[in-house]
Amino acid sequence: MIGAGYFDSHQLSKEILEVQKLTQAPFAVNLFTPNDIKYDKKQIEQMNTKLKPYREALGLSTPKNSTVKEKEKFEDAIEVIESLKVPIIAFTFGIPNQNIIKRLHNAGKILIGTATSVEEAVENENAGMDIVVAQGYEAGGHRGSFTTINGEFPLVGTLSLVPQIVDNVSIPVIAAGGIMDGRGLVASLALGAGAAQLGTAYLTTNESGADDKIKNEIIESSETDTILTNVFSGKLARGIMNEFVHNMNLYSKQVPPYPLQNQLTTQIRKSALEKGYTEWTHIWSGQSTRLADTVDAAQLTKNIINDAVKIINNK
C-alpha cells in the first residue's frame, strides 16, 4: 500500500509508476479524506510564536501564510489513481462523498475505509466501502477517527475493537494496531478479521524509506515510550515521546488543526532530522516496538506467514 496522504499529484504518479514497474500484483493507495476545518488566524500567529525558537535554532524562516488545499489535492489524487488504473483505494480521516464513491465503484475500484469504533465501521459500510480497517488504539501514526464521543476521539484497543466491528458489519474487516508477527496475525484471524495490516513492523525493514535514525529510535524503544499527540500535524497520532512533544504538551493554547499545524512544523521536522536531531521530529510508531527488527521485507513476510502456519497447525 502506498501511503499518499502527504503527496501531491506528481509524487503520487511517480510512486504508482514505480510500484507498477516492480509488480503485476494488485496494490492500494491510501488517501487522507479531506475534512472541513475551523480555525482563526490568531491560532496560527500564536503557534508561530511558539515555534520561533526551533526555527531560529535550525536557521529557518517563518513559512508563508498557511493555506488549506486538501480538497483540491484529494481530487487530483483521485484523477491520478483513475488514470493509472490503481485497483484499490483506502481512505482514512473519514469517508469520501457519494459522488467519489460511486465514481470509483463505476471504475471497478475496491474501496477500503478506516474505523476506530463500531459506529465508524457501520458508517463505512453504509457509505459503500467494500472493506473496513479496524484500527486499534495501539496503532502507530495517525488515528483514522472521524467521530467523537463527548468531544473525544475513540480509543479502543485492537483486541476489543476487531470482534465488535466484525459482529456489526457484513463487509470484510482488516485488523490493525500493534500487530507485528505471526502471533498477531493468528490472533486477528481468531477475532474474526479476514486479514491484518502491519505498519510499524515494516517501517524498520531494510527496504523502508524511513531514515535510519528513525528506525534506530523505534528499535531501541519500549512499549511504554509511545504517546498520542497532535502537536506535529494537528491530527492525533501515535509516536515516540521526545523533546518536541514534551515541550509542546506544555503549550496552553489550541493547536491549529490539520493540515495547518502540519504545514507549520514540516520544515522544523525535516531540518532537524537532516541534522541528525530526532528530538524535534516525529517518530511514528505503534506500541509493539520490542517486536520490531531490521530485516528484509520479504523475509519479514515469510517469517510472519511461517509462524502463523505453525501456530494454526499447533507445531
Side-chain angles (χ1 to χ4, degrees):
M1 182 181 292
I2 299 173
Y6 293 140
F7 290 174
D8 59 26
S9 57
H10 174 73
Q11 291 172 301
L12 178 56
S13 296
K14 182 179 178 181
E15 289 287 330
I16 291 172
L17 291 171
E18 186 64 29
V19 171
Q20 289 174 335
K21 288 179 183 177
L22 297 172
T23 181
Q24 298 297 314
F27 64 93
V29 168
N30 180 269
L31 299 177
F32 292 167
T33 304
N35 299 298
D36 294 327
I37 65 170
K38 296 180 180 180
Y39 72 99
D40 59 57
K41 292 184 179 180
K42 190 174 182 180
Q43 284 179 282
I44 307 298
E45 294 170 359
Q46 292 171 336
M47 181 54 67
N48 275 327
T49 299
K50 177 67 176 178
L51 296 175
K52 185 177 180 180
Y54 296 99
R55 294 192 180 116
E56 289 180 342
L58 295 167
L60 302 172
S61 59
T62 301
K64 297 179 180 179
N65 293 335
S66 300
T67 57
V68 180
K69 295 184 178 180
E70 294 303 294
K71 291 183 179 179
E72 294 91 334
K73 189 169 73 171
F74 182 77
E75 285 285 351
D76 290 344
I78 294 296
E79 290 184 7
V80 170
I81 286 168
E82 287 181 311
S83 66
L84 295 180
K85 303 185 185 307
V86 176
I88 308 167
I89 304 97
F91 302 97
T92 191
F93 296 170
I95 303 170
N97 64 51
Q98 282 300 304
N99 289 335
I100 293 290
I101 292 173
K102 291 176 181 177
R103 172 178 160 188
L104 293 174
H105 271 154
N106 288 339
K109 310 299 183 185
I110 296 172
L111 308 183
I112 304 176
T114 303
T116 60
S117 68
V118 171
E119 177 189 352
E120 290 180 350
V122 171
E123 286 193 37
N124 270 281
E125 180 175 29
N126 290 342
M129 293 294 110
D130 302 298
I131 301 168
V132 64
V133 173
Q135 185 193 37
Y137 171 80
E138 304 92 328
H142 285 101
R143 302 287 296 151
S145 306
F146 57 92
T147 64
T148 58
I149 302 170
N150 297 323
E152 299 291 334
F153 289 114
L155 297 175
V156 185
T158 307
L159 186 66
S160 176
L161 182 64
V162 172
Q164 294 187 81
I165 287 181
V166 168
D167 287 351
N168 283 278
V169 299
S170 59
I171 57 177
V173 176
I174 299 173
I179 304 165
M180 299 286 283
D181 55 23
R183 293 171 295 181
L185 173 56
V186 173
S188 300
L189 299 177
L191 294 172
Q197 179 173 293
L198 287 68
T200 305
Y202 284 91
L203 190 59
T204 59
T205 58
N206 294 323
E207 294 87 349
S208 166
D211 189 282
D212 285 344
K213 293 181 286 294
I214 297 297
K215 294 180 183 181
N216 290 337
E217 289 286 349
I218 295 172
I219 293 292
E220 294 174 5
S221 66
S222 72
E223 72 282 1
T224 58
D225 289 335
T226 67
I227 188 173
L228 286 172
T229 181
N230 69 342
V231 300
F232 287 114
S233 70
K235 281 276 190 181
L236 201 61
R238 182 175 294 284
I240 293 174
M241 183 70 165
N242 60 14
E243 182 183 322
F244 187 88
V245 176
H246 175 75
N247 290 342
M248 290 299 294
N249 281 348
L250 302 177
Y251 183 65
S252 60
K253 300 178 178 63
Q254 189 172 5
V255 173
Y258 179 88
L260 300 175
Q261 180 69 359
N262 188 65
Q263 295 169 5
L264 294 174
T265 65
T266 292
Q267 288 304 314
I268 293 172
R269 290 179 277 158
K270 181 179 179 181
S271 179
L273 186 59
E274 288 173 349
K275 290 176 169 57
Y277 195 53
T278 57
E279 289 296 321
W280 288 2
T281 193
H282 65 277
I283 308 171
W284 300 145
S285 174
Q287 289 185 314
S288 300
T289 54
R290 292 183 192 268
L291 304 179
D293 197 5
T294 49
V295 296
D296 288 346
Q299 187 60 54
L300 173 62
T301 303
K302 290 178 183 177
N303 292 345
I304 292 169
I305 294 172
N306 290 339
D307 290 347
V309 170
K310 288 179 182 179
I311 294 170
I312 292 171
N313 293 332
N314 292 315
K315 292 184 179 180

